[in-house]
Amino acid sequence: AAEALAALDGAAPIDLLFSDIALGPGPDGTDVARHARAKRPGLAVLLTSGDPRPLAEGAASPWPLLRKPYTRGDLAAAIDAVLAPR
């Protein structure tokens, strides 16, 4: 999370934030996504998780969630879907 947050604060162009929800101690993927959107409002975000709890608990998210396990084709389709409106 710390590296992603530092990169988001930099000047390099970023087209997509792809993050697991669970990142270990500290901020999680949704925290990173919130920070990213605050810094870069138009940034595409795609989250992933193998933990069924975010969906089972009905956690609302403004970002699409790609469930693990997924195939390269699933990942490509999810990335295409979030980048298509741009």
Side-chain angles (χ1 to χ4, degrees), residues 2-61:
E3 288 179 39
L5 293 171
L8 289 162
D9 288 337
I14 300 173
D15 295 318
L16 171 69
L17 170 68
F18 177 56
S19 177
D20 199 307
I21 290 176
L23 297 176
D28 67 18
T30 56
D31 295 329
V32 173
R34 280 188 211 95
H35 178 84
R37 280 289 180 85
K39 289 287 187 175
R40 300 170 184 242
L43 183 64
V45 174
L46 175 61
L47 299 176
T48 189
S49 180
D51 185 346
R53 286 179 289 178
L55 296 179
E57 293 170 359
S61 172

